[in-house]
Amino acid sequence: MARYKKKERQELLVESVSSDPFLTDERLSEMFAVSIQTIRLDRLELNIPELRERIKHVAREETEKIRSLSLQEVIGEIIDIELNSHALSLFIVEEGHVFQKNRIARGHYLFAQANSLCVAVIDEPLALTKAADIEFVRPAKLGDKVVSKASVEQMDGNTAVISMESTVEQRLVFKGVFEMYYRDEDNEGEKNG
Amino acid sequence: MARYKKKERQELLVESVSSDPFLTDERLSEMFAVSIQTIRLDRLELNIPELRERIKHVAREETEKIRSLSLQEVIGEIIDIELNSHALSLFIVEEGHVFQKNRIARGHYLFAQANSLCVAVIDEPLALTKAADIEFVRPAKLGDKVVSKASVEQMDGNTAVISMESTVEQRLVFKGVFEMYYRDEDNEGEKNG
DNA sequence: CCTCATTTAGTAGTTGGTACTAGCATCAGT
DNA sequence: ACTGATGCTAGTACCAACTACTAAATGAGG
């Protein structure tokens, strides 16, 4: 019976419980081939709450976190806007936005921030991105506050040209030129089916 | 004490429990001014599981949702891939991806599909988007199955050039050229702080 | 008034624990 | 070899929040 030493067992216990909070003391005592009492002493020392409390905690997070990660609609918070002229938005890089390995923000989130700001700055019922020429100058990292500035350069007929610059602490991380198509929606029906 | 009739009470009970699964029988019995036994009979008739089972259920959903959210790391499902050569992914446009008004997919989702496919096709530990030149040829709509094709055109030193084409039923909706930066991560440390 | 549905009361047993006491085993240091 | 600390196990009493069951009280309608 090659059992673990106390310290080792406790480390594994923390891991086990955090990877599967639904483990009972009985199940854990079998896993580590010790008595239930030992598991309970371990939990006491490690301040790991009992099964029911663990589950309750997970469930509470669920019910409270309904809206926190539904950033889908518009990425970033618009903090200043003058329609058909310019706009500013702030996007804070969170866990869900980065590569796990290196905590660098995935490019499409920076693009999404820029893109949704472009849509917002156009004061027309319909605004679609037609083309973009973009550059990721420097990586943005977990926790970074990315500020995007959109400036409408041209608007003629049904196309707008917007230049974008995103910075983290005044340092450029992303820039690009967006070409937007817009239309007074009531005016025409479908253009191309 | 104007208490509810059985049927009415049971309807309210279903509502209460589904809006707050953390309610104990005792708490419910106070809310409806009946005995605990009555609440239990009600739950039995209505097939409402006990508090602990309800909480467990919610917690299970949560842990599963975490898994599906981390699957959202990559937008679209990769259906064919040859590393450093080409790749194919499928992305189905759902409610969350479109403008409510016209059910047209937001540009950044099409970009995200293309971008994550580019990251995936590069067989290196680190791959970041450096620049992109893209065009939204035609709008993609709710329900559309968008197929993206990535072809690696060049790879030299630490930069790859990838051309992208996304189609819905063989019709082009999006195209672009992506320039990717890549690196054997163990090789160097931080390049730019 | 009688009857049937509804409600309440009460007991025994379950799960997954806490909190506490106490008995060993083992190893370290003297 | 003796002492003491550390670690593990055993066992008891108690708890919340139930299930499952029996039995009695209450109420509302015919």
Side-chain angles (χ1 to χ4, degrees):
Chain A
M1 201 61 77
R3 298 199 302 188
Y4 298 107
K5 297 206 166 155
K6 188 179 179 178
K7 204 183 153 188
E8 201 180 354
R9 183 190 61 227
Q10 292 195 340
E11 279 167 18
L12 288 170
L13 190 123
V14 170
E15 232 179 275
S16 304
V17 168
S18 67
S19 86
D20 182 1
F22 298 89
L23 292 166
T24 63
D25 287 0
E26 195 179 10
R27 188 76 192 79
L28 288 163
S29 78
E30 287 164 12
M31 285 168 61
F32 295 105
V34 293
S35 70
I36 283 195
Q37 270 70 356
T38 302
I39 296 294
R40 291 183 176 161
L41 281 174
D42 285 348
R43 279 201 298 99
L44 205 73
E45 284 178 31
L46 299 166
N47 284 318
I48 299 173
E50 65 167 285
L51 171 81
R52 285 159 185 167
E53 292 308 311
R54 295 197 300 266
I55 293 178
K56 209 183 288 180
H57 184 76
V58 175
R60 280 256 153 71
E61 274 182 358
E62 148 84 0
T63 51
E64 279 159 25
K65 207 167 54 183
I66 289 165
R67 59 165 216 96
S68 91
L69 243 150
S70 61
L71 313 147
Q72 319 284 28
E73 280 284 308
V74 175
I75 278 261
E77 191 190 346
I78 292 169
I79 48 185
D80 181 34
I81 188 160
E82 179 135 346
L83 293 170
N84 297 333
S85 166
H86 60 265
L88 223 73
S89 83
L90 173 69
F91 164 57
I92 298 173
V93 180
E94 284 165 10
E95 284 289 348
H97 308 124
V98 301
F99 293 99
Q100 280 139 329
K101 263 192 179 176
N102 44 40
R103 321 202 123 193
I104 292 176
R106 287 168 189 275
H108 53 255
Y109 285 103
L110 292 179
F111 178 83
Q113 177 186 18
N115 187 57
S116 36
L117 193 59
C118 285
V119 172
V121 80
I122 302 288
D123 184 26
E124 297 289 343
L126 176 72
L128 297 176
T129 313
K130 204 161 126 187
D133 195 348
I134 56 181
E135 193 177 333
F136 295 86
V137 178
R138 189 190 309 276
K141 301 220 168 180
L142 183 63
D144 280 356
K145 296 178 183 67
V146 185
V147 176
S148 274
K149 270 178 268 189
S151 308
V152 179
E153 305 288 349
Q154 287 175 39
M155 281 185 85
D156 57 349
N158 53 15
T159 300
V161 175
I162 300 170
S163 72
M164 284 287 323
E165 278 191 11
S166 299
T167 55
V168 173
E169 286 168 6
Q170 273 78 48
R171 296 179 75 178
L172 195 67
V173 296
F174 171 91
K175 67 175 179 178
V177 177
F178 285 71
E179 205 175 305
M180 308 294 292
Y181 169 79
Y182 62 87
R183 170 163 41 114
D184 177 355
E185 203 174 45
D186 310 319
N187 225 3
E188 307 178 58
E190 287 289 306
K191 203 178 102 181
N192 38 24
Chain B
M1 241 339 131
R3 298 199 303 187
Y4 299 106
K5 298 208 164 156
K6 187 178 180 180
K7 204 184 155 187
E8 200 180 355
R9 184 190 61 227
Q10 293 195 338
E11 279 166 18
L12 288 170
L13 190 122
V14 170
E15 230 178 277
S16 305
V17 169
S18 65
S19 87
D20 182 2
F22 298 89
L23 292 165
T24 62
D25 287 359
E26 195 180 10
R27 188 75 193 79
L28 288 162
S29 78
E30 287 163 12
M31 285 169 60
F32 294 106
V34 293
S35 71
I36 283 195
Q37 271 67 0
T38 303
I39 295 295
R40 291 182 177 162
L41 280 174
D42 285 348
R43 280 201 299 101
L44 205 73
E45 285 177 28
L46 299 166
N47 284 318
I48 298 172
E50 64 168 289
L51 171 79
R52 285 159 184 168
E53 291 307 313
R54 295 197 299 267
I55 292 178
K56 210 183 287 180
H57 184 76
V58 175
R60 282 256 153 71
E61 275 182 357
E62 153 82 1
T63 51
E64 274 156 30
K65 207 176 272 181
I66 285 168
R67 257 166 244 151
S68 71
L69 230 152
S70 60
L71 283 178
Q72 212 175 343
E73 290 261 316
V74 176
I75 278 262
E77 191 190 346
I78 292 169
I79 48 185
D80 181 35
I81 190 162
E82 179 137 347
L83 294 171
N84 298 334
S85 166
H86 60 267
L88 224 74
S89 85
L90 172 69
F91 164 56
I92 297 172
V93 180
E94 285 165 10
E95 285 289 348
H97 308 125
V98 301
F99 293 100
Q100 280 138 331
K101 262 191 179 177
N102 45 40
R103 321 204 121 190
I104 291 176
R106 287 167 190 275
H108 53 256
Y109 285 102
L110 292 179
F111 178 84
Q113 177 186 19
N115 188 56
S116 36
L117 194 58
C118 284
V119 172
V121 79
I122 302 288
D123 184 25
E124 297 289 341
L126 176 72
L128 296 175
T129 313
K130 203 161 124 187
D133 195 349
I134 56 180
E135 194 178 332
F136 295 86
V137 180
R138 188 191 308 276
K141 302 221 166 181
L142 183 61
D144 281 356
K145 296 179 182 68
V146 185
V147 176
S148 274
K149 270 179 267 189
S151 308
V152 179
E153 305 287 349
Q154 286 175 40
M155 282 184 85
D156 58 350
N158 53 15
T159 299
V161 176
I162 300 171
S163 72
M164 284 286 325
E165 278 191 12
S166 298
T167 55
V168 172
E169 286 168 5
Q170 272 77 50
R171 297 180 75 178
L172 195 66
V173 296
F174 172 91
K175 67 175 178 177
V177 177
F178 285 70
E179 204 175 308
M180 307 295 290
Y181 169 79
Y182 62 88
R183 172 165 38 114
D184 177 356
E185 203 175 44
D186 311 318
N187 226 2
E188 307 177 57
E190 288 287 307
K191 203 179 100 183
N192 38 25

